[in-house]
Amino acid sequence: MKDHGVDATSQTANIRPDLIRKKRDGGQLSDDEIKAFIQAVKEKTIQDSQTGAMLMAICLNGMVSAEIKALTREMMSSGEVMEWPDEWKDFMVDKHSTGGVGDKVSLVLAPALAACGCKVPMISGRGLAHTGGTLDKLESIPGFKVEQSREQVKRILDSVGCCIVGQTETLVPADRVLYALRDITSTVDSLPLVTGSIISKKGAESLSALVLDVKFGRAAICKDFESATELAQMLVEAGNGLGIRTAAVLSGMNSTIGRCVGNSVEVIESLETLKGNGPDDLMELVTTQGGLLLVMTGLVSDLSEGRKQISEAVVGGAALSKFQAMMEAQGVNSDTAQLLCSTNADYYSVLRKAKHQLELKAPADGIVLEIDGLALAQVLHRLGAGRSKAGEPVNHSVGAVLLVSIGQRVTKGDPWLRLHYEDLALTPDQRNHLESALTVGADKKIQTQQKHTLVEKILPEKYQ
């Protein structure tokens, strides 16, 4: 048998079993061995069973930093790597969130960054399980086209400064294969594989700076701060390894972001935020992530100034103008875009409204101690707001609007949630699940109407 490191890249029939065995037994794969594996995945010269075995070996034994760097680089290089005009290269930025409930940050952040002089080729995803997808939200706007060619993306960036699009077939094709197999081999939560998947796609965008929103809590992939920190450090190191200035924001994800969850209702809340009426927690995430990107591109000297500029772009209306221009550039009728961005817009004259609304009432007097975002998202998912398998349709009109905030004092019988649903009515079990999401009580530690902050930490700490 040949030495593990010899001729690893010349294997074209399929991958050598001894590479899988090496990882299974806890060995470290060389750069050439990782290149051979990804090449075989891309060229479909490896059996799915072998790919699954390698994924499981990585999941069980982990990867050292050098392996993660090589994996990320080879995945990025498996397809097209985008190229930009020289005058843009220092200002190409994007963000990625590990997923949450009511996470509409991208819809506000992309146009705010464009208003501050950045170019934002935001490649986003669709929702799966309880986590909503940015593309699904935007597609609730009639005419919005998330599929754009490379040349169309360049034209939109040139004229507007930002676009939000789906992943093309030619971008990181190896990830598309691995992602599907991770789903059926229970290796989705492997941190090296998560890192390779996220950073390879951002690397293929040829970014100068990237910010990662790594969430922790009940409604997040990472259930605790420690595991979120481990993932954040891995992501930052991998991003920097590709030459992208990378930072991470660790933020809590127990409740919801903002007050709206669902596709159409989140678009409405995003538009209201762009009109200066955004909730504090959403604005905290937008200004922190945007501020970090302005620091990393050199447009501002520190995070405080970066937050200020992003806030001014949102509150002052510059970001709203960019969002309107982006909608029109991505297929939305100009009259429709103008109506949505107008003061006191009649949103439901454009967006689809659910047939039914139901208000849930507070069960007792007291202070709102907790709102379980995961429970809320799970019920909405079953009512049609989300999908269980890739490719399934979603109902854009299904959603929920919170009528109370954590720390707010309520009286028994006060409405706390407005549910938007279609013909699929709530089952008794779903109603119980929703009602259990609200915790009302007396807690002296919680100040009534306290400011609810989400950002726990920023990495690297020099940006804190």
Side-chain angles (χ1 to χ4, degrees):
M1 187 174 285
K2 293 180 182 178
D3 181 80
H4 293 166
V6 179
D7 290 335
T9 57
S10 66
Q11 187 71 25
T12 56
N14 56 29
I15 202 80
R16 291 200 323 258
D18 57 318
L19 292 189
I20 300 171
R21 186 184 308 118
K22 181 178 180 180
K23 194 70 219 171
R24 180 201 70 186
D25 293 343
Q28 179 178 335
L29 298 177
S30 69
D31 288 4
D32 282 348
E33 288 166 340
I34 290 171
K35 183 175 183 179
F37 171 59
I38 295 300
Q39 201 170 335
V41 168
K42 176 193 172 184
E43 296 172 358
K44 298 182 170 65
T45 58
I46 181 174
Q47 298 172 32
D48 282 355
S49 58
Q50 291 181 301
T51 304
M54 181 65 92
L55 293 175
M56 186 57 74
I58 292 169
C59 184
L60 294 176
N61 293 304
M63 281 183 145
V64 300
S65 177
E67 288 177 296
I68 296 171
K69 184 177 178 180
L71 176 72
T72 305
R73 184 181 62 246
E74 295 305 329
M75 287 175 66
M76 178 190 79
S77 302
S78 69
E80 176 187 27
V81 176
M82 301 177 96
E83 295 182 353
W84 309 112
D86 287 343
E87 60 268 26
W88 293 3
K89 286 184 177 175
D90 290 338
F91 307 106
M92 304 301 305
V93 303
D94 198 359
K95 54 84 70 171
H96 177 84
S97 167
T98 56
V101 177
D103 190 349
K104 55 198 76 71
V105 168
S106 295
L107 278 66
V108 182
L109 180 57
L113 286 164
C116 291
C118 294
K119 299 290 184 184
V120 193
M122 192 173 281
I123 296 176
S124 295
R126 298 192 179 278
L128 195 60
H130 78 273
T131 299
T134 298
L135 300 183
D136 297 318
K137 293 164 193 176
L138 287 169
E139 284 183 336
S140 67
I141 303 170
F144 198 104
K145 295 180 178 66
V146 300
E147 304 304 331
Q148 302 284 341
S149 70
R150 179 179 58 178
E151 288 309 312
Q152 286 169 323
V153 166
K154 280 186 179 176
R155 280 199 297 272
I156 297 168
L157 289 180
D158 188 39
S159 62
V160 181
C162 63
C163 60
I164 303 179
V165 299
Q167 184 179 348
T168 66
E169 291 293 320
T170 56
L171 201 73
V172 198
D175 178 64
R176 196 172 291 106
V177 177
L178 293 181
Y179 195 89
L181 287 171
R182 281 167 58 206
D183 195 35
I184 61 172
T185 56
S186 295
T187 55
V188 169
D189 55 357
S190 163
L191 295 190
L193 296 176
V194 168
T195 299
S197 177
I198 292 171
I199 301 298
S200 63
K201 285 179 280 199
K202 298 305 177 185
E205 292 178 39
S206 298
L207 302 174
S208 58
L210 170 67
V211 67
L212 302 146
D213 185 1
V214 182
K215 299 190 176 299
F216 63 94
R218 274 192 308 275
I221 294 172
C222 299
K223 300 304 178 188
D224 55 63
F225 179 73
E226 290 69 30
S227 60
T229 302
E230 183 183 359
L231 175 58
Q233 288 170 334
M234 212 175 274
L235 290 165
V236 168
E237 190 171 343
N240 286 325
L242 292 181
I244 305 169
R245 289 186 289 276
T246 308
V249 175
L250 286 107
S251 63
M253 191 68 255
N254 286 319
S255 184
T256 67
I257 299 169
R259 289 193 168 202
C260 296
V261 183
N263 295 299
S264 289
V265 292
E266 287 192 47
V267 167
I268 292 171
E269 187 168 40
S270 299
L271 284 162
E272 281 299 306
T273 301
L274 288 164
K275 294 171 188 178
N277 306 316
D280 289 343
D281 56 354
L282 175 58
M283 282 299 293
E284 179 195 14
L285 292 173
V286 169
T287 57
T288 301
Q289 292 172 44
L292 280 167
L293 288 168
L294 295 185
V295 171
M296 288 189 285
T297 53
L299 288 168
V300 298
S301 58
D302 58 49
L303 182 55
S304 175
E305 179 60 27
R307 281 181 168 132
K308 182 168 174 271
Q309 285 205 17
I310 294 290
S311 179
E312 287 174 354
V314 174
V315 176
L320 180 66
S321 296
K322 289 291 185 183
F323 190 80
Q324 181 175 335
M326 181 182 77
M327 282 195 288
E328 293 179 21
Q330 292 192 231
V332 178
N333 176 281
S334 59
D335 289 342
T336 299
Q338 189 172 350
L339 190 155
L340 288 172
C341 294
S342 64
T343 307
N344 302 319
D346 179 6
Y347 294 115
Y348 287 118
S349 67
V350 173
L351 306 177
R352 181 178 166 194
K353 187 174 185 178
K355 291 179 184 177
H356 309 289
Q357 284 80 43
L358 170 70
E359 289 189 351
L360 298 186
K361 314 289 186 182
D365 297 350
I367 293 170
V368 177
L369 303 180
E370 200 172 81
I371 298 169
D372 187 341
L374 179 59
L376 180 57
Q378 286 171 334
V379 173
L380 292 174
H381 171 245
R382 293 189 203 111
L383 291 173
R387 59 173 63 83
S388 299
K389 293 179 183 175
E392 287 181 344
V394 298
N395 190 320
H396 293 118
S397 68
V398 172
V401 179
L402 290 172
L403 307 175
V404 298
S405 302
I406 292 175
Q408 181 175 331
R409 188 173 295 282
V410 294
T411 303
K412 181 178 179 179
D414 284 351
W416 72 273
L417 179 84
R418 184 179 298 119
L419 182 70
H420 294 243
Y421 67 99
E422 294 282 355
D423 295 329
L424 200 60
L426 273 181
T427 65
D429 180 57
Q430 288 169 346
R431 182 165 185 139
N432 289 339
H433 201 41
L434 268 184
E435 288 176 340
S436 70
L438 177 72
T439 303
V440 174
D443 190 335
K444 292 176 183 175
K445 294 178 186 174
I446 292 193
Q447 299 286 324
T448 303
Q449 297 290 355
Q450 68 170 8
K451 189 172 181 182
H452 183 46
T453 59
L454 298 178
V455 174
E456 189 72 27
K457 189 174 184 179
I458 293 169
L459 294 174
E461 291 186 6
K462 65 181 179 180
Y463 295 125
Q464 187 82 38

